[in-house]
Amino acid sequence: MRALTFNPDLSPSVVPDPVPTRSQALVKVAAFSLNFGEIAYRSANPDPGNVPGWDAAGVVVQAAADGSGPAAGTRVVTFGWSGAWAELRAVDTAELAVVPEAVDLGTASALPVAGVTALQALRRLGPVAGRRVLITGASGGVGRFAVQLAARAGAEVVASAGSPARAQGLRELGAAEIAIGPENLAGRAYGVLDTVGGRQLAQAFYQLEDDGVVMAIGRAAREPAVIDFELAGTRSARGRIENFNVTTPFGPDLAHLVGLLAAGELDAQVGWRGPWDKASEAADALLARRITGKAVLDV
């Protein structure tokens, strides 16, 4: 089996076929998508026996021995903290969802981490209908899902992006307003889905209305967030920051997102797509923020 190793240059290597446990299905991978976190924070000294990768879609070639999950021949999208960058993936059946024939597998592979993160973070905010919600890093993978899902939930969405060029298409996804950085937000927001961290998280916190909430989702800035609470105290009476991490299993949330995709009510926003041996090129473009939305590689 060919796989992409966890080398800094994402060079290809040969690894043994995975051996599924009783609760895992064996999936022949058709496509996988890249996430900023798995690229930006990859180890410089990887385990040569480990196949990295979080998101993949493909076809079940061996059903789980315990009878859970779909039968062989079923098209699925899968999640796990390893194993996606390979031709075969062993994945827990609780971490996958069936993909209908009408949905492209490469498009479906963009859903797991970015889509589920946006969905779960929005859920943590609570009811947002009629409320103003700021999304930082809105041009990225998580951000573009968050804009769509927040708008569907009835929020007044303000999409923050690094430049007008990166903000292109965000209004069509449901953003009512565009801000070039949270410091340029006009007025306040009840909720913030912050995918950037660092200074942008601090600026977003200062923009909260009373009893507002910042969901600290991402660390794309790769810098600490320093909050001046003296300044914050002059901006609003109350507000809080909540650390956010996704929770497993992903299966039910993935099934919900696949359903929206199949109904034409969600756009996966694939901004780059190419063959799996172009992974290094895709990773460089993702880190340099030359890609809006998701990067997908076909195996």
Side-chain angles (χ1 to χ4, degrees), residues 256-277:
H256 174 67
L257 294 172
V258 169
L260 293 178
L261 199 63
E265 298 177 16
L266 186 70
D267 189 322
Q269 291 287 286
V270 176
W272 188 101
R273 188 164 182 176
W276 73 278
D277 57 0

Side-chain angles (χ1 to χ4, degrees), residues 219-290:
R219 300 164 185 83
R222 291 191 273 184
E223 64 181 19
V226 179
I227 306 293
D228 182 340
F229 280 96
E230 297 294 330
L231 177 61
T234 68
R235 296 286 184 91
S236 64
R238 290 174 295 273
R240 74 177 192 272
I241 300 172
E242 183 174 328
N243 189 45
F244 175 83
N245 287 292
V246 289
T247 58
T248 57
F250 270 34
D253 284 337
L254 271 178
H256 174 67
L257 294 172
V258 169
L260 293 178
L261 199 63
E265 298 177 16
L266 186 70
D267 189 322
Q269 291 287 286
V270 176
W272 188 101
R273 188 164 182 176
W276 73 278
D277 57 0
K278 299 292 186 182
S280 181
E281 176 183 323
D284 289 344
L286 195 65
L287 290 178
R289 294 180 173 83
R290 296 194 300 273

Side-chain angles (χ1 to χ4, degrees), residues 5-266:
T5 66
F6 214 4
N7 296 330
D9 63 355
L10 296 175
S11 59
S13 181
V14 176
V15 295
D17 287 353
V19 179
T21 66
R22 286 185 54 78
S23 63
Q24 289 182 322
L26 190 63
V27 175
K28 184 177 181 181
V29 174
F32 59 86
S33 69
L34 300 180
N35 295 281
F36 184 91
E38 66 191 331
I39 302 299
Y41 299 104
R42 65 190 186 273
S43 172
N45 299 295
D47 176 356
N50 178 59
V51 176
W54 301 343
D55 301 344
V59 178
V60 175
V61 293
Q62 181 180 314
D66 66 359
S68 65
T74 305
R75 304 166 84 247
V76 294
V77 57
T78 69
F79 164 76
W81 293 121
S82 64
W85 301 354
E87 288 184 319
L88 291 174
R89 182 184 208 184
V91 62
D92 290 339
T93 55
E95 306 292 356
L96 57 77
V98 174
V99 177
E101 289 291 335
V103 175
D104 172 68
L105 286 173
T107 304
S109 76
L111 291 176
V113 168
V116 172
T117 294
L119 181 64
Q120 292 187 0
L122 184 63
R123 192 180 293 148
R124 287 289 300 176
L125 276 183
V128 295
R131 286 175 150 168
R132 205 162 183 234
V133 174
L134 170 66
I135 298 166
T136 70
S139 62
V142 176
R144 287 178 178 264
F145 281 120
V147 168
Q148 296 176 78
L149 294 170
R152 279 182 52 81
E156 179 187 340
V157 177
V158 182
S160 172
S163 68
R166 287 188 64 78
Q168 289 183 4
L170 292 175
R171 287 190 182 275
E172 289 78 2
L173 295 180
E177 300 176 45
I178 303 294
I180 306 304
E183 68 276 12
N184 293 313
L185 176 67
R188 299 185 179 278
Y190 159 73
V192 178
L193 300 182
D194 174 59
T195 72
V196 179
R199 285 170 289 180
Q200 289 208 32
L201 187 153
Q203 290 292 340
F205 180 66
Y206 302 147
Q207 302 283 10
L208 288 179
E209 65 183 47
D210 289 350
D211 296 317
V213 185
V214 175
M215 302 300 302
I217 299 170
R219 300 164 185 83
R222 291 191 273 184
E223 64 181 19
V226 179
I227 306 293
D228 182 340
F229 280 96
E230 297 294 330
L231 177 61
T234 68
R235 296 286 184 91
S236 64
R238 290 174 295 273
R240 74 177 192 272
I241 300 172
E242 183 174 328
N243 189 45
F244 175 83
N245 287 292
V246 289
T247 58
T248 57
F250 270 34
D253 284 337
L254 271 178
H256 174 67
L257 294 172
V258 169
L260 293 178
L261 199 63
E265 298 177 16
L266 186 70

